[in-house]
Amino acid sequence: MALVEIKQKSNNNIILESSINLTDTTEKISNAFDYEFTGKIKTEVEVPKFPTEFQIGLIVGASGSGKSTLLSKFGEEENITWNNDYCIADNFENYDDAVNRLGAVGLNSISAWLQPYNTLSNGQKFRADMARRLKNNAVIDEFTSVVNRECAISCSNSIQKYIRNNNLHKIVFCSCHYDIIEYLQPDWIYNTDTKELSVGRSVRQKSNIILKVSQCSKQIWSMFAKHHYLSSELNKSADCYLISWNDKIVAFASILPMPGRFGSDTRLCVSEHRIVVLPDYQGLGIGNKISEYFGELYLSQGYRYFGKTANPRMGEHRERSELWNATSSNLRKPRKDIENIHLKPRPKGRNTSEQSIINTMTRLCYSHEYIGNENTIIGENKLHKNYNKKLF
């Protein structure tokens, strides 16, 4: 018999009852361990007085402690289905919806946007499912249970930003992991182990993320090449750097010298060449932090630092930031290497999101110069390349 829910009028708790058929096996088990068993199972789940107005709620606790039962009080989790005849971006309402939602869960790899769902990694599938589920009154069970902890942390961070920025309400997550709390920043937390309800976002403070930068050989690029959205090629003249977090490799950056001068400005110029953050670590703003770290580093050594990107999230960040100035080619020049992205055949007359992404990337290329702020000191000494420093 299936579980039966009974609401007790006295305390509003949930009583779950079920029964099974008794057999020789169940009798032998109960006798062997001196465990009295009648075939009936009864469980009481305490229901606290949850806040009625909130944006993010979180139920945490060990497996079997009643988390999913409590989550059902808020609704039923949406079952997500995907059409693998099209890329994941085509499974959203339109181009803007795809870019906003996929970016919201930290799935910022354009190459992943153009793949069908069944070819994604487990971490990417988790993020893609989350992108479809994010809406008012959503309930999400087993949150981050199928991904590694770095992916869980980065996804939690980007999700809470999307929910706050889009003013979504009454989204409840259920998880057995506590490390996501400081990044998800819920308005309330209920612990099914301790039976404690904590209200307020100040319950846990977000930890600082310390990234370390080290110069590396060009051979390291091979582990990042497939994750770059335009080209897997690396210029032989580029200086290359490896970024790590807690002794784990998370990102790669390369910088190119730029020949020539700009008017009467005789300073040497450099340009970003490749910045790639591994998929599990996307959503924490690491790419922008890396870019601005190098901008500050080169600027302080007397260089001018330029960055060009077709990635809409990085480009829009620079558009809003006071640390960057748009150049004359901003949003005008297409990327010549866009031809490296190959489209699958699509039905005639269908304006797919995949084609829309390519068209948009061809039309829009963000081009900026890093100018820093009033605290940036512009020096005249050449950059010392042998270093090993913490990023932020």
Side-chain angles (χ1 to χ4, degrees), residues 71-348:
L71 186 66
S72 66
K73 300 290 290 184
F74 295 93
E76 185 177 348
E77 185 176 48
E78 180 181 4
N79 182 33
I80 303 298
T81 59
W82 295 86
N83 186 343
N84 289 310
D85 290 332
Y86 300 98
C87 68
I88 61 171
D90 263 325
N91 282 261
F92 291 82
E93 290 184 8
N94 50 47
Y95 164 78
D96 290 332
D97 185 52
V99 171
N100 290 335
R101 288 181 174 274
L102 291 171
V105 297
L107 186 51
N108 295 317
S109 172
I110 294 178
S111 61
W113 296 358
L114 302 180
Q115 296 180 44
Y117 179 82
N118 59 357
T119 66
L120 300 178
S121 67
N122 284 340
Q124 290 172 328
K125 287 179 178 178
F126 165 74
R127 292 181 189 258
D129 287 338
M130 285 301 306
R132 295 273 301 277
R133 287 193 172 108
L134 287 180
K135 61 190 67 173
N136 288 330
N137 302 304
V139 295
I140 293 118
D141 201 0
E142 299 294 340
F143 181 58
T144 74
S145 63
V146 297
V147 295
N148 62 45
R149 304 325 302 153
E150 291 81 12
C151 179
I153 287 172
S154 62
C155 192
S156 298
N157 184 72
S158 54
I159 284 174
Q160 68 87 12
K161 287 182 179 179
Y162 178 82
I163 292 174
R164 307 289 181 195
N165 292 338
N166 290 274
N167 199 29
L168 299 182
H169 292 277
K170 298 183 179 180
I171 301 178
V172 183
F173 298 86
C174 182
S175 178
C176 60
H177 298 286
Y178 292 81
D179 57 353
I180 63 173
I181 293 176
E182 55 194 306
Y183 298 93
L184 190 62
Q185 297 185 38
D187 299 302
W188 57 261
I189 304 169
Y190 182 70
N191 189 320
T192 54
D193 294 328
T194 63
K195 313 300 181 186
E196 293 178 344
L197 175 66
S198 303
V199 180
R201 291 175 61 188
S202 60
V203 174
R204 294 282 296 271
Q205 296 296 322
K206 185 184 294 188
S207 301
N208 292 326
I209 295 175
I210 306 283
L211 300 181
K212 192 190 305 187
V213 175
S214 305
Q215 194 166 18
C216 67
S217 67
K218 294 177 176 60
Q219 284 70 30
I220 298 294
W221 170 245
S222 61
M223 70 178 291
F224 293 90
K226 66 179 181 179
H227 299 295
H228 194 268
Y229 63 92
L230 290 180
S231 172
S232 61
E233 297 180 359
L234 185 70
N235 193 295
K236 295 181 179 180
S237 300
D239 290 327
C240 301
Y241 304 91
L242 198 63
I243 293 88
S244 60
W245 174 26
N246 292 336
D247 296 324
K248 294 182 179 180
I249 296 173
V250 301
F252 174 92
S254 59
I255 312 297
L256 269 178
M258 295 176 62
R261 64 180 64 181
F262 290 78
S264 60
D265 195 333
T266 59
R267 284 182 291 161
L268 296 174
C269 302
V270 294
S271 175
E272 289 177 355
H273 180 44
R274 299 284 185 257
I275 290 184
V276 178
V277 179
L278 293 177
D280 283 349
Y281 302 92
Q282 295 176 8
L284 287 166
I286 290 176
N288 288 324
K289 289 292 185 181
I290 292 171
S291 177
E292 289 165 4
Y293 166 80
F294 282 108
E296 196 73 19
L297 179 64
Y298 278 89
L299 190 63
S300 68
Q301 299 295 328
Y303 289 74
R304 295 182 71 181
Y305 185 87
F306 294 86
K308 181 175 286 188
T309 182
N311 187 300
R313 297 189 70 81
M314 179 173 278
E316 288 302 315
H317 167 80
R318 294 175 181 178
E319 290 283 277
R320 297 188 300 267
S321 174
E322 296 180 354
L323 300 175
W324 296 87
N325 260 355
T327 70
S328 58
S329 62
N330 185 44
L331 300 178
R332 292 184 181 180
K333 289 186 178 181
R335 294 299 297 246
K336 294 181 180 180
D337 46 358
I338 195 69
E339 63 187 13
N340 289 299
I341 294 182
H342 301 287
L343 299 179
K344 295 180 179 179
R346 291 290 186 260
K348 292 183 179 180

Side-chain angles (χ1 to χ4, degrees), residues 39-56:
K40 293 185 177 181
I41 304 169
K42 182 178 180 180
T43 305
E44 181 174 356
V45 179
E46 182 177 325
V47 180
K49 188 176 181 180
F50 291 110
T52 56
E53 297 297 330
F54 61 91
Q55 289 187 277
I56 302 173

